Every structure is written in C-alpha cells, then in structure tokens.
Amino acid sequence: MMDKAYAGGPGFMLALEARATGLDGPDLASSIDLNEAITAARDEYHAADPDVRRVWADAAAYDWAVLCSDPATDHEWASDVRRMAILATVIEAVPERAERMILTWALDPDTPSLDDMRGMLKDERPVDFDRLLDDLTHGDCAFMPDDEMLADGITTASSVLDPIAANAPDGVDYAIMSIKAAFTLARDDTAEARDMVACCRPYLDSTALADAVDAQAAACPWTGDDGMGMTMDGPRL
C-alpha cells in the first residue's frame, strides 16, 4: 500500500525504480532521461489526490537528504533520476515551501532534521522570507560569509539543484535561481544576488523569496567587492 502511495500511481515511480536497479535489463538503466522522468512525475503528481501529494512531500524531504548526503560520488542517472524527478515536481508544486526547506538545510548551522524538513513541505502557511533570511544570514548563530561549512553546504545543495534546473520546466529553473540568489546573499555578494533576482523575478509564479533577497541586498552597506577591498560604496575598512 505504501509503495503505491509513494508512486502516486501504479506506473511511474515503480517502473523507474525497476529500471534504475537494472531489473528490466542492463542497458535500460543508463538510458533513463531526467527530463522525461520529470515530465512523467509532474503528470502523476497532478493526477494524485491530496493525501498522495502529502506522501510526495515526505518523499521529497527524504530524497533531498539522501542526495545531499554524498552528492559528489553518486551522479549516475540510474540511481538519482527518481529522486530528482520527485524534487523537481515538488519544487514546482509548492515552491515557497521547497525554497524554505532547501535554504534552511544549506544555510542553518543547526541542520534541520528529516521531520523538520517534512514539516516545512507540508506547512501551508505563507513563508516569511524576510524573517527567514534575516535569521539565516544575520542571526546570532548564522555562518560568517567566508565560513567553509557555509561554502560546503551551498556547494552540496547546488550540485543537486543544477541537474534539476537543467532538465525541469522554466518555472523550476528560475525558482532554483532565486534559491541561488539567497546563497549568494549569504556569501555577502549582494550585487550578484540582486542581478540574479532581476533575471529570475519576471518568470516566477511566486516572487516572495526573490523580493526578500532583493530587499535585504539593497539594505546592506556593501553591494559588491572588486577583489581589492573596494566596493561600489567605497573601501571596506
């Protein structure tokens, strides 16, 4: 019963799982196409009832944790395509909730638990991105912009998001760009963060994150560094 709910139907997920593990022949696993898998996942998700969609949210949180656990060593589509298709679908379906989960995972030194991430994806309340970004980038426990652990979290998250963005519909691609703008803001490159927001905002269904990144970047005293300690507003002392 759980397998059927997880699949969103008897076809898509279980068939991909079988091919990914080579059950349908050794050559089929390598031929799985992420773009086609995302299309199939979207169709299954939108045909599902609300209870099944909540199961997809649980799956997306789990799959995000799995993919980020060791993203550099396991990038064969045969093992990742199903998880990435689920994530792409959930990012498109509930962008603000997915953005909140991903940002919290990457930017919060106190990494959220799996239950926390599942709760974020199921929370139907609007996300206060101004407060979230303030907590994650300027809170008492926030990483410093040059912290290596912050860089590692951003690199790991980006390694999962990049192939999704390259194969998903434009709305998902631009939602991921707004997430990356927040990453850039956290690294203290406010000028680049604002440029990224300007590129993606016209194409987003929800601009809440992009608006918050832009507002916080505009409020920062520094708007970019030329690599020599000089910024657009003068020397950094």
Side-chain angles (χ1 to χ4, degrees):
M1 189 70 176
M2 178 57 72
D3 286 343
K4 198 169 185 178
Y6 186 89
F12 168 69
M13 293 296 178
L14 297 181
L16 273 184
E17 186 77 6
R19 281 184 286 169
T21 54
L23 297 181
D24 287 346
D27 297 328
L28 287 177
S30 62
S31 69
I32 298 174
D33 182 85
L34 180 55
N35 181 275
E36 293 177 0
I38 290 172
T39 299
R42 294 172 72 213
D43 291 344
E44 290 286 346
Y45 181 90
H46 291 298
D49 62 41
D51 288 337
V52 172
R53 292 183 185 182
R54 282 189 282 272
V55 174
W56 278 61
D58 282 342
Y62 176 78
D63 290 339
W64 175 261
V66 169
L67 287 168
C68 289
S69 65
D70 195 6
T73 61
D74 191 14
H75 273 306
E76 296 179 4
W77 293 133
S79 58
D80 287 355
V81 63
R82 178 177 58 81
R83 291 190 171 97
M84 288 190 174
I86 292 171
L87 281 165
T89 301
V90 171
I91 290 171
E92 181 181 43
V94 287
E96 291 188 17
R97 302 181 213 172
E99 289 161 356
R100 177 190 178 193
M101 181 195 76
I102 293 168
L103 289 174
T104 303
W105 183 92
L107 302 182
D108 192 341
D110 186 13
T111 305
S113 68
L114 180 58
D115 284 343
D116 290 337
M117 292 193 294
R118 284 173 166 165
M120 292 175 199
L121 289 180
K122 292 180 179 179
D123 189 346
E124 297 182 358
R125 295 172 296 180
V127 180
D128 185 345
F129 282 111
D130 286 309
R131 181 174 179 179
L132 179 66
L133 288 180
D134 193 51
D135 289 343
L136 293 177
T137 60
H138 298 103
D140 292 339
C141 297
F143 287 117
M144 295 297 292
D146 58 352
D147 193 297
E148 289 185 4
M149 291 183 66
L150 173 64
D152 288 346
I154 290 173
T155 298
T156 298
S158 297
S159 71
V160 174
L161 293 171
D162 285 345
I164 294 174
N167 288 275
D170 286 346
V172 176
D173 184 8
Y174 287 110
I176 288 173
M177 186 182 293
S178 69
I179 294 171
K180 289 192 167 186
F183 289 167
T184 304
L185 177 68
R187 300 299 303 274
D188 213 20
D189 189 346
T190 55
E192 177 65 17
R194 297 194 75 188
D195 286 346
M196 294 172 74
V197 164
C199 288
C200 70
R201 184 192 278 118
Y203 306 100
L204 293 168
D205 289 333
S206 170
T207 64
L209 175 56
D211 292 343
V213 171
D214 195 40
Q216 295 212 9
C220 288
W222 312 111
T223 56
D225 196 315
D226 67 358
M228 301 177 64
M230 298 293 292
T231 71
M232 293 172 65
D233 293 320
R236 181 177 295 183
L237 302 178

